[in-house]
Amino acid sequence: SLQDTTTLHNGVKMPWLGIGVFKVEEGPELVHAVKVAIKHGYRSIDTAAIYENESGVGQAIQEGLHEAGITREELFVTSKVWNADLGYESTIAAFEASLNKLGLDYLDLYLIHWPVEEKYMDAWKALETLYKQGKVRAIGVSNFQVHHLETLMKDAEIKPMVNQVECHPRLTQKELMEFCLEHEIQLEAWSPLMQGQLFENPVLQEIAAKYNRSVAQIIIRWDLQNGIVTIPKSTKAHRIIENASVFDFELSKEDMAIIDALNQNHRVGPDPDNFD
Ligand code: NAD
C-alpha cells in the first residue's frame, strides 16, 4: 500500500511512494494537491527551499492532517538545502528557515540539493549536527554521482541515508543503484515520469495496454520493483490517485527487462558533473 516503507540504514522508515511539488507555485492549487494526496493515503511529500513553496506545503500539511485525522508522525516530509546556502552556518540557517516555513518542529529527511564542489562537505557537517540534535530524522544528498558519494563518505561521520537523483526509463542509473545498494544508501528517483516525456513511448504504451494500466503506473511500478523510492508530481486529483494505484499488480521479469532496455543515459535535468 501507499504506506509501505523502506527502512533506511538508521532504522527510519520512509514511504516508497510520495508526491513531489517541484514547479508548483504557492497558492490554492498547491495546497489542494498536497491535501488530496494526504487524503488518498500519501504519507511522503518532497519539497525544497528553491521550490519557494514550503509555506504552502506547510499549510496543506496542517489542514491535510486535520482532515485525514492523522498525526504529524505519520508523515514523511523532505526538504533540501539550496546551492547558495551550502556551508556550515548557512546550511543550519537554511534548515531553520525551511522548518519555519513548513511550520514543523522537525523534518524527516533533509538533503543537499546539488553536489557543489568545495561546498558540500561543510554542508554535510551541518546536516550531521542537525541529525544529532534530533531536528531531522534522516539526512541525505541529491544529484550525487558515485565519485561525489565516495568523496563525501571519506570525511563523513554519518553516511547519507538517501540519494535522490534523476531516474526514469531513459536514465536507469544502474551503476549508481549498485553502488547505493552496496553502501545501504536508499536511491530515490526524481522526475520519475521524465516530466511527461515518456507517455507517448510505444514500448511503454504496449506494456501499459497489456496490464491494463497507464504508462505512469507502469513506470512507478518499475521504480518500486527496482527498490527505488519514487515521487511523481501531479496537481490533478485523478492523477495523484492514479499514480498511487500501483500496489495491486506486478510487472514480470521480462517486462522489467524491456523497460530497463529503454535506457539511453538521457537526462532532462542538469548533469551533476557540469551544472551552474
Ligand atoms: P515527473 O517526472 O514527476 O513528471 C511530472 C509531469 O508528469 C507533470 O507535468 C504532470 O502533469 C505529469 N503527470 C504526472 N502524473 C501523470 C499521470 N498519471 N498521467 C499523465 N501525466 C502525469 O516530474 P518532476 O516534477 O520533475 O519530478 C517529480 C519530483 O521530483 C518533483 O516534483 C520534485 O519533488 C522532485 N525533483 C527533484 C529534483 C532534484 O534535483 N532533487 C529535480 C527535479 C524534481
Side-chain angles (χ1 to χ4, degrees), residues 20-22 46 51 80 113-114 142-143 164 190-196 199 216 231-234 239 242-243:
V21 294
F22 180 40
D46 182 85
Y51 302 168
K80 318 182 189 89
H113 208 141
W114 286 89
S142 178
N143 300 302
Q164 182 188 111
W190 64 253
S191 296
L193 305 175
M194 208 181 168
Q195 295 181 350
F199 298 132
I231 45 169
K233 179 211 118 178
S234 176
R239 287 178 175 166
E242 175 188 319
N243 293 346

Side-chain angles (χ1 to χ4, degrees), residues 50-64:
I50 195 69
Y51 302 168
E52 295 185 333
N53 61 14
E54 289 170 309
S55 304
V57 170
Q59 183 194 334
I61 287 174
Q62 202 173 28
E63 295 176 12

Side-chain angles (χ1 to χ4, degrees), residues 51-228:
Y51 302 168
E52 295 185 333
N53 61 14
E54 289 170 309
S55 304
V57 170
Q59 183 194 334
I61 287 174
Q62 202 173 28
E63 295 176 12
L65 287 180
H66 182 72
E67 285 170 22
I70 59 167
T71 61
R72 160 71 182 98
E73 290 68 40
E74 293 175 68
L75 279 191
F76 191 97
V77 183
T78 301
S79 193
K80 318 182 189 89
V81 53
W82 186 242
N83 302 349
D85 291 319
L86 295 184
Y88 187 83
E89 296 298 340
S90 49
T91 295
I92 302 267
F95 176 85
E96 298 294 347
S98 284
L99 211 52
N100 278 335
K101 285 185 182 156
L102 285 160
L104 300 175
D105 50 19
Y106 70 91
L107 284 188
D108 294 281
L109 179 64
Y110 197 50
L111 305 175
I112 295 180
H113 208 141
W114 286 89
V116 182
E117 299 290 347
E118 321 284 323
K119 286 196 173 176
Y120 62 77
M121 205 59 228
D122 286 342
W124 187 252
K125 294 287 163 199
L127 265 58
E128 290 179 332
T129 298
L130 293 164
Y131 177 70
K132 287 189 226 164
Q133 291 173 339
K135 292 179 174 172
V136 57
R137 296 174 68 233
I139 52 177
V141 294
S142 178
N143 300 302
F144 275 47
Q145 311 264 53
V146 167
H147 72 91
H148 296 119
L149 290 169
E150 283 172 336
T151 304
L152 183 87
M153 286 193 290
K154 259 188 229 146
D155 286 324
E157 202 183 311
I158 301 165
K159 56 175 192 183
M161 287 127 204
V162 173
N163 184 20
Q164 182 188 111
V165 299
E166 182 177 345
C167 181
H168 44 66
R170 289 292 190 213
L171 180 69
T172 55
Q173 299 278 22
K174 291 295 177 191
E175 189 197 339
L176 192 57
M177 199 192 294
E178 282 303 311
F179 183 89
C180 286
L181 202 59
E182 194 181 315
H183 293 272
E184 301 179 285
I185 299 168
Q186 175 64 54
L187 201 67
E188 178 177 18
W190 64 253
S191 296
L193 305 175
M194 208 181 168
Q195 295 181 350
Q197 293 180 38
L198 289 167
F199 298 132
E200 304 306 319
N201 182 278
V203 174
L204 292 170
Q205 282 182 341
E206 197 183 315
I207 295 175
K210 179 170 143 190
Y211 290 85
N212 199 15
R213 298 284 167 157
S214 69
V215 168
Q217 289 174 319
I218 297 297
I219 298 170
I220 294 164
R221 185 68 214 173
W222 170 81
D223 285 332
L224 300 179
Q225 288 184 221
N226 270 322
I228 297 175

Side-chain angles (χ1 to χ4, degrees), residues 21 23-35 51-61 63 235:
V21 294
K23 288 184 182 157
V24 190
E25 280 177 30
E26 214 63 277
E29 191 192 18
L30 167 74
V31 175
H32 176 74
V34 174
K35 280 166 68 176
Y51 302 168
E52 295 185 333
N53 61 14
E54 289 170 309
S55 304
V57 170
Q59 183 194 334
I61 287 174
E63 295 176 12
T235 53

